[in-house]
Amino acid sequence: MRAPAWALIAGAELRMLGRSVPAVAMGAVVPAALGLLIVWAEHDTGRAGRGTAAGLQLVVLLTLTVHGMGTTTLVSRRTQSVLKRLRTSGASDAAVLTGTLAPSALLMLLQAVVLIVAGGGRLPGRPWAPIAAVGCGILVAGGYAVITAGWTAAPELAQLTTAPLALTFVGGAFWAARTPAPDVELWMLALPGVPVTQLARLGWDEPGMTTADGLAAAAALAILAGAVTLAAARVTRWDPRR
């Protein structure tokens, strides 16, 4: 039985990722190191709470691994005319983009498991909440990668061009972390880092979070994922920039 097109593309991307030491360092080591720094800070001070710390960790991984590494990969493949060739191979546009970004998402999931173990291995009491945060968060960060790749002329510029959208993730997460869970307003959920943090708080039973708050955060993140996906479909660039 022949594997779907996106899986074949993802497999090829994984093999290329394994051959690139800089890509592994930037996509795997740096985000994981920052996540471990958050674990250490939480163990040292205990001020944030397990749920808030987990939310910050997830946002760091979504921003650096899925968004940052995904943008670099897309721009590299577009510069090499790989995206253009894949598009003419019979694979759908969605399959090409999904296959190209899948390794970044898989790496992010593996990093999340490592950080949960490093944080003491305590599993969430409400697993649906962090699962929703990760699933919708990957869609948002992947859409961000497609959008950012559209205005990035070369892979070397990705660290600069990812900054504006990355701030909506990281800035939102730190804003939520500094705001008590019950005081987070609905309009704050427009920044993706806020609902991710709120869902992590609910998952790890942080005081002040209710199921209704978690459902509102999940709905906001799902709406953001849909809006970003639609925007990404409109701005995708397939040909190398002249």
Side-chain angles (χ1 to χ4, degrees):
M1 182 177 179
R2 183 177 174 82
W6 70 267
L8 295 174
I9 296 170
E13 286 291 337
L14 280 172
R15 289 191 292 272
M16 286 189 283
L17 175 63
R19 299 184 188 126
S20 176
V21 175
V24 171
M26 292 303 298
V29 178
V30 174
L34 290 175
L36 290 173
L37 181 61
I38 295 173
V39 170
W40 171 81
E42 172 58 21
H43 281 175
D44 188 51
T45 65
R47 294 179 60 184
R50 183 68 187 104
T52 300
L56 292 174
Q57 291 166 350
L58 290 178
V59 167
V60 166
L61 297 181
L62 288 167
T63 303
L64 296 183
T65 304
V66 181
H67 178 210
M69 182 179 171
T71 298
T72 302
T73 301
L74 286 171
V75 177
S76 297
R77 302 299 172 260
R78 189 188 69 217
T79 302
Q80 299 159 353
S81 295
V82 172
L83 292 183
K84 187 175 181 180
R85 291 196 297 271
L86 288 174
R87 200 184 188 197
T88 59
S89 67
S92 66
D93 292 354
V96 172
L97 294 176
T98 300
T100 305
L101 293 174
S104 301
L106 177 60
L107 184 58
M108 181 264 168
L109 294 175
L110 293 175
Q111 290 168 328
V113 171
V114 170
L115 292 180
I116 288 174
V117 173
R122 179 189 165 198
L123 297 178
R126 298 182 179 91
W128 69 266
I131 289 173
V134 171
C136 292
I138 286 175
L139 291 177
V140 174
Y144 274 8
V146 177
I147 293 171
T148 307
W151 69 61
T152 305
E156 296 79 11
L157 298 175
Q159 293 183 3
L160 296 176
T161 57
T162 54
L165 291 180
L167 286 175
T168 69
F169 254 119
V170 178
F174 278 95
W175 190 12
R178 291 178 58 86
T179 305
D183 296 338
V184 173
E185 302 288 346
L186 286 177
W187 60 270
M188 294 172 62
L189 299 176
L191 296 178
V194 176
V196 168
T197 304
Q198 287 288 86
L199 286 167
R201 284 170 161 173
L202 178 64
W204 272 272
D205 302 311
E206 192 159 314
M209 282 295 298
T210 65
T211 300
D213 294 330
L215 291 174
L221 197 57
I223 292 171
L224 279 170
V228 170
T229 300
L230 290 175
R234 290 179 174 272
V235 302
T236 305
R237 299 179 66 101
W238 301 95
D239 299 319
R241 295 184 61 168
R242 304 298 181 184

